[in-house]
Amino acid sequence: MPLRGSARPRTGALAVPLGASRLGASYLRASFLCASFLCAPLLCAADPGAAPSSAVLALADTATAAGQADPPAVADAPACHAQAGWDLACLRARYAGPAAGWPAPTIDAGVHWIEWAAVPPASSPPLQWTAANAGQTQLAADVARPAVVTLGQMLFFDTRLSRKGQVSCASCHQPQRAFTDGLPLAVGEDKLMGRRRSTPLYAAPFAPRLFWDGRAASLKEQVIGPLHDPREMNHDAVGAVTRLRENDMYPARFLEAFGGAPAASSSTVASASSAAASTVSATAATTPVAQAPAASTPTSAVDADRLARALAAYVASLRPEKTRFDDFLSGRADALDDTELLGLHLFRTQARCMNCHNGPLLSDHQFHNIGLSFYGRRNQDLGRYEATRDPADLGKFRTPSLRNVAQAGPWMHNGLFPDLRGLLRMYNAGMGREAPPADPPDPYAPRKSEHIKPLDLSPAEIDALLAFLKTL
């Protein structure tokens, strides 16, 4: 199935049979083994067995309103489905108009969801789309200034920011890989490996909190964190600023972007970045930021706060590559073929993906436990809990954007899944296992989100869902 292009759909009343039997008990038992790091690739590459029988989808015949806090009333039978299978001509008719007239998605009670829409362009008023956090006003002003964004782009690709000049921001966030790096775990200076996969960046300016565990409260805090992390750039603000001031190019660029030296250089960037990096050394966390000279010179225009601001502005300007999914959202009904359209419908309904992957970025920007924390085992990662120490956050990770998702593998916070089809099979089985019951109960055992349930999708339906994901 091509990732791009304008494949024309078949318009006949085609049916996709679902099969007669449900997932066997042996496959469901195997799905729990897939929560083990070593067993996951084996299971995810295996055939899931018999196709499930037709499941009742929670669909409504009425239009859905964007930003709804509670699910709409659902019908007793799925739309465009009969005993023989899916009526694709019926589905095409149901999705022929604007999203307001589409079949209602399956949404759990109490979930606030937003209808899909185009990603706001960076040229639109930034205060309308940047996340409402502590850094919003400053970020909105900076991203509207081309000189600041251009400076941030130069810094993003410059290895001078790392202590030994080995890596840049782009080493882990490559444009051709949807600003990830294609590795299961991030690799920094001296080939040291981190604990988690490099975070995709497209949703960064839209998210209230950043990193997989939400430890950064603003995009400016997020972009400066890797500078101090010994497993990433292994540097510090003083060293980076000194190096930039000594460069023939950067002082003039900073002066053009920000003007003369600020009245007082920021003294909080280093301490903020220590909170943003998961493994910052005690020395880096307490290193003071270099103060700008009192005289307003090109050299004095360079400081750590402006370094972070320029990087944040560039990241905020990034947008996912336009795809046929965008064409479909804009009203071009033939942008998706029949298989992809069925996948879109399943994504919104039986597969239950809209509970977390909604809105323009296909992310709710929230934190969820899908059962991959490996609690009590070798690869334990308790996610947001490690930043907050709030038991309610045990095992939770931030929902990534699915824009350009097919280019962003391997997937999940730990890069566990090298294949999207294997990932979909795990979701179909209800994802990872929970910690076994303990007596007395273990207060630190993470509990999987109620949104994660077995889906009863057939192999053909998983293929359709995969085809749709490749259009995003």
Side-chain angles (χ1 to χ4, degrees):
M1 195 68 65
L3 183 61
R4 302 285 186 267
S6 55
R8 297 190 62 83
R10 303 181 302 277
T11 55
L14 305 178
V16 178
L18 294 182
S21 62
R22 295 188 177 274
L23 285 169
S26 61
Y27 177 65
L28 290 176
R29 285 194 297 272
S31 72
F32 292 105
L33 294 178
C34 199
S36 166
F37 184 84
L38 296 178
C39 297
L42 178 63
L43 173 60
C44 297
D47 188 281
S53 63
S54 57
V56 176
L57 306 184
L59 291 172
D61 292 330
T62 56
T64 180
Q68 190 163 316
D70 293 304
V74 296
D76 292 330
C80 301
H81 183 267
Q83 187 173 2
W86 290 102
D87 184 341
L88 299 180
C90 169
L91 276 181
R92 191 158 293 283
R94 296 292 296 273
Y95 285 96
W102 293 355
T106 299
I107 303 291
D108 290 341
V111 172
H112 180 86
W113 66 281
I114 300 173
E115 186 54 273
W116 290 338
V119 178
S123 58
S124 60
L127 284 175
Q128 295 181 5
W129 52 265
T130 48
N133 56 28
Q136 182 184 27
T137 302
Q138 187 177 74
L139 178 62
D142 288 341
V143 77
R145 299 163 64 183
V148 177
V149 175
T150 299
L151 173 61
Q153 182 179 22
M154 294 170 59
L155 294 164
F156 190 88
F157 290 90
D158 198 332
T159 58
R160 292 181 184 91
L161 296 187
S162 61
R163 183 176 299 277
K164 297 182 180 180
Q166 294 178 355
V167 296
S168 68
C169 301
S171 299
C172 292
H173 302 284
Q174 303 167 18
Q176 70 272 24
R177 296 182 181 274
F179 287 91
T180 60
D181 57 10
L183 301 174
L185 300 175
V187 176
E189 194 162 74
D190 293 330
K191 298 298 181 180
L192 295 188
M193 185 175 291
R195 295 181 63 205
R196 296 169 183 160
R197 181 170 74 99
S198 297
T199 315
L201 295 182
Y202 290 131
F206 303 88
R209 302 198 67 89
L210 283 302
F211 288 114
W212 285 110
D213 56 14
R215 63 185 181 273
S218 69
L219 184 53
K220 187 174 79 170
E221 185 179 336
Q222 185 271 323
V223 296
I224 206 67
L227 182 74
H228 297 266
D229 193 321
R231 292 183 174 272
E232 296 188 53
M233 291 184 167
N234 190 36
H235 210 173
D236 57 76
V238 171
V241 168
T242 299
R243 190 173 292 176
L244 294 176
R245 286 177 177 171
E246 293 172 348
N247 181 267
D248 292 337
M249 172 180 58
Y250 278 113
R253 292 284 188 169
F254 272 83
L255 186 63
E256 177 188 2
F258 293 105
S265 295
S266 170
S267 60
T268 60
V269 172
S271 59
S273 63
S274 67
S278 60
T279 56
V280 176
S281 66
T283 300
T286 58
T287 300
V289 174
Q291 299 294 313
S296 182
T297 66
T299 298
S300 67
V302 182
D303 72 4
D305 184 68
R306 289 176 168 185
L307 165 62
R309 287 172 59 186
L311 284 170
Y314 172 64
V315 171
S317 74
L318 301 176
R319 290 297 181 274
E321 183 180 351
K322 290 295 180 85
T323 67
R324 289 185 290 114
F325 174 66
D326 293 291
D327 294 337
F328 188 82
L329 289 181
S330 67
R332 203 185 111 197
D334 67 346
L336 303 184
D337 67 25
D338 283 343
T339 301
E340 294 160 349
L341 182 63
L342 174 59
L344 177 150
H345 180 67
L346 291 167
F347 186 103
R348 295 172 61 88
T349 56
Q350 185 176 347
R352 301 172 49 79
C353 308
M354 288 287 284
N355 278 301
C356 301
H357 295 286
N358 56 67
L361 275 297
L362 282 81
S363 171
D364 61 0
H365 307 299
Q366 301 299 312
F367 299 85
H368 304 281
N369 178 2
I370 62 172
L372 295 179
S373 61
F374 296 94
Y375 177 65
R377 288 170 283 169
R378 178 178 179 180
N379 297 297
Q380 174 178 295
D381 189 341
L382 300 181
R384 181 140 178 75
Y385 173 78
E386 297 185 12
T388 67
R389 300 301 175 97
D390 182 349
D393 290 330
L394 282 161
K396 291 184 177 181
F397 295 88
R398 185 164 68 91
T399 306
S401 169
L402 295 187
R403 289 286 188 165
N404 297 169
V405 64
Q407 302 174 37
W411 294 271
M412 294 300 170
H413 66 275
N414 51 11
L416 181 61
F417 295 93
D419 176 61
L420 270 178
R421 180 177 279 104
L423 173 58
L424 293 176
R425 287 173 175 168
M426 273 294 286
Y427 270 115
N428 195 38
M431 255 304 162
R433 68 184 182 186
E434 292 190 314
D439 187 16
D442 183 352
Y444 295 100
R447 291 291 172 250
K448 192 163 56 176
S449 168
E450 295 180 354
H451 303 317
I452 302 297
K453 301 176 182 179
L455 303 177
D456 208 17
L457 296 170
S458 72
E461 289 170 328
I462 290 176
D463 288 344
L465 196 55
L466 176 61
F468 169 65
L469 291 180
K470 290 182 177 181
T471 72
L472 295 176

XYZ file of all heavy atoms in Angstrom, residues 57 59-61 75 77-81 86 90-91 94 103 345:
123
model
N -19.916 -2.907 17.139
C -19.198 -1.644 17.285
C -20.102 -0.621 17.930
O -21.283 -0.532 17.615
C -18.741 -1.126 15.914
C -17.921 -2.086 15.065
C -17.486 -1.376 13.794
C -16.719 -2.543 15.850
N -21.356 2.494 17.702
C -21.476 3.569 16.730
C -22.829 4.243 16.880
O -23.813 3.620 17.232
C -21.369 3.027 15.300
C -20.014 2.496 14.864
C -20.134 1.820 13.514
C -19.051 3.643 14.767
N -22.896 5.499 16.561
C -24.160 6.215 16.507
C -24.400 6.651 15.085
O -23.481 6.878 14.330
C -24.114 7.436 17.420
N -25.659 6.758 14.699
C -25.992 7.210 13.364
C -26.020 8.718 13.262
O -26.122 9.271 12.178
C -27.368 6.648 12.945
C -27.309 5.142 12.763
O -26.245 4.625 12.394
O -28.345 4.498 12.998
N -25.455 2.979 18.797
C -26.428 2.088 18.182
C -26.154 0.657 18.626
O -25.073 0.327 19.106
C -26.336 2.206 16.662
N -26.047 -1.898 16.586
C -25.354 -2.623 15.533
C -24.406 -1.672 14.824
O -24.670 -0.485 14.720
C -26.360 -3.211 14.542
N -23.275 -2.182 14.343
C -22.316 -1.316 13.663
C -22.847 -0.812 12.334
O -23.588 -1.508 11.640
C -21.103 -2.223 13.479
C -21.639 -3.614 13.510
C -22.794 -3.583 14.456
N -22.450 0.383 11.992
C -22.860 0.951 10.719
C -22.194 0.220 9.572
O -21.034 -0.186 9.668
C -22.496 2.431 10.683
N -22.935 0.043 8.471
C -22.397 -0.511 7.219
C -21.830 -1.917 7.383
O -20.865 -2.295 6.708
C -21.339 0.406 6.640
S -21.935 2.070 6.278
N -22.418 -2.695 8.266
C -21.928 -4.044 8.484
C -23.092 -5.015 8.526
O -24.130 -4.752 9.122
C -21.142 -4.129 9.796
C -20.549 -5.483 10.046
N -21.188 -6.443 10.778
C -19.386 -6.027 9.628
C -20.443 -7.544 10.816
N -19.347 -7.304 10.131
N -18.247 -6.230 5.741
C -18.364 -4.785 5.627
C -18.872 -4.388 4.247
O -18.373 -4.859 3.234
C -17.013 -4.127 5.880
C -16.562 -4.214 7.302
C -15.649 -5.065 7.828
C -17.037 -3.407 8.375
N -15.511 -4.856 9.178
C -16.349 -3.835 9.543
C -17.964 -2.374 8.481
C -16.573 -3.259 10.787
C -18.174 -1.800 9.716
C -17.492 -2.239 10.850
N -21.270 1.502 1.439
C -22.015 2.174 2.504
C -21.075 3.044 3.342
O -21.391 4.200 3.640
C -22.702 1.137 3.378
S -23.411 1.781 4.918
N -19.895 2.489 3.711
C -18.930 3.275 4.484
C -18.499 4.520 3.722
O -18.388 5.611 4.300
C -17.703 2.431 4.813
C -17.752 1.523 6.037
C -16.417 0.798 6.195
C -18.070 2.313 7.301
N -21.067 7.101 4.058
C -21.152 7.682 5.399
C -20.025 8.677 5.668
O -20.175 9.583 6.493
C -21.104 6.573 6.456
C -22.291 5.603 6.398
C -23.604 6.265 6.802
N -23.607 6.705 8.172
C -23.949 5.933 9.206
N -24.313 4.682 9.010
N -23.934 6.419 10.423
N -20.020 8.825 11.082
C -20.481 8.010 12.211
C -19.749 8.403 13.497
O -18.551 8.719 13.473
C -20.129 6.581 11.791
C -20.105 6.622 10.299
C -19.575 7.989 9.942
N -12.393 3.829 9.693
C -13.621 3.569 10.450
C -13.344 2.706 11.677
O -13.860 2.977 12.775
C -14.633 2.880 9.530
C -15.927 2.557 10.206
N -16.808 3.526 10.635
C -16.498 1.365 10.544
C -17.869 2.950 11.201
N -17.691 1.643 11.164
